[in-house]
Amino acid sequence: MRVENSFIGVDGVGEKTERSIWEQGITHWDAFEPGIVGGKRGDRIQQFIHEGRDRLDAADVRYFDRQFPNSEQWRLYETFRDRACFFDIETTGLDEHRNQVTTVSLHQAGETETLVAGDDLTAGNLQAAFADADLLVTFNGKRFDVPFLEANFDVDLDRPHLDLMYTCKQVGLSGGLKQIERDIGIERDRPDISGKDAVRLWREHEGGRDGALETLVSYNREDTVNLRTLADEVSGTLHDDVFVE
């Protein structure tokens, strides 16, 4: 679903009202007339559409992120997918104030890059990597990846953020990323590696073991690239569940 199909970003328009609009055949801003709902609500919708067109032309993801309820953030994805940054981190533990970020992989505009601690993982490189990211896409990133990066590197990641852990729960998918991947049929090159293994691999790399870093980077990159497949799948399911065409 694109943002132009949505009316729920208007004050006074909830799921029931939006569905009623769709059921009248008004499934896009272009088809809306204020008289369809009448009164001030119709005027507010018309005003939202007018401003929304300008914001859409400006690729203002933040505007729609503010307008839509948290449970409807997935609607940003189809419209702004090309401006999204899918990313995942690996660390030496779970405490952002005591543990270290070891690798950060980012997938955007069809390309994937990985920054590695002790090499090119710096605050400046992170800022540059996220510079063109208007929409962050993660799995549990709001509680884990973002706080870790902000604590370790003092970077500002305050921007629209689609955390797929919560989006998956909306379609009945629960558990960790690997479990959900299995549930929907996403295959991995190394399904035997887990987050605990990522910590072990980093320690082995620090100890000089050949191939440990390469395995860790491969694992981290696969996490990241798979986020796009998961986002496509889950947003498509929600579209089918919610939208009346």
Side-chain angles (χ1 to χ4, degrees), residues 45-176:
I45 294 174
Q46 190 64 49
Q47 183 178 357
F48 166 72
I49 292 171
H50 178 74
E51 182 169 5
R53 292 188 198 283
D54 291 339
R55 301 285 189 159
L56 194 57
D57 288 343
D60 188 349
V61 189
R62 289 180 184 271
Y63 170 75
F64 297 103
D65 184 57
R66 291 192 302 268
Q67 292 295 121
F68 290 169
N70 288 339
S71 62
E72 305 302 325
Q73 285 183 318
W74 63 272
R75 302 187 188 207
L76 303 175
Y77 178 67
E78 183 176 343
T79 304
F80 300 109
R81 175 167 34 202
D82 292 342
R83 308 181 73 87
C85 176
F86 307 81
F87 79 95
D88 182 76
I89 71 172
E90 302 302 336
T91 68
T92 58
L94 301 178
D95 187 338
E96 67 265 29
H97 299 295
R98 298 176 58 187
N99 297 119
Q100 174 191 6
V101 179
T102 58
T103 63
V104 180
S105 288
L106 309 96
H107 179 73
Q108 49 190 333
E111 301 290 335
T112 307
E113 68 172 320
T114 302
L115 305 176
V116 179
D119 183 8
D120 54 0
L121 179 52
T122 65
N125 285 341
L126 280 172
Q127 290 284 19
F130 284 108
D132 295 328
D134 294 320
L135 175 65
L136 305 180
V137 183
T138 67
F139 188 93
N140 195 30
K142 288 184 177 181
R143 297 193 309 182
F144 186 75
D145 302 68
V146 167
F148 245 102
L149 291 180
E150 291 182 336
N152 277 235
F153 298 98
D154 194 29
V155 293
D156 180 11
L157 296 178
D158 180 19
R159 64 200 71 191
H161 185 164
L162 179 63
D163 190 327
L164 293 173
M165 184 177 73
Y166 303 106
T167 315
C168 284
K169 289 179 179 178
Q170 290 179 247
V171 297
L173 294 169
S174 59

Side-chain angles (χ1 to χ4, degrees), residues 195-222:
K196 289 183 179 179
D197 292 314
V199 177
R200 172 183 57 80
L201 287 165
W202 180 255
R203 295 306 185 200
E204 291 176 354
H205 163 63
E206 289 185 311
R209 179 179 175 181
D210 289 343
L213 179 60
E214 288 76 9
T215 302
L216 173 60
V217 168
S218 175
Y219 168 75
N220 186 209
R221 289 169 74 89
E222 195 166 29

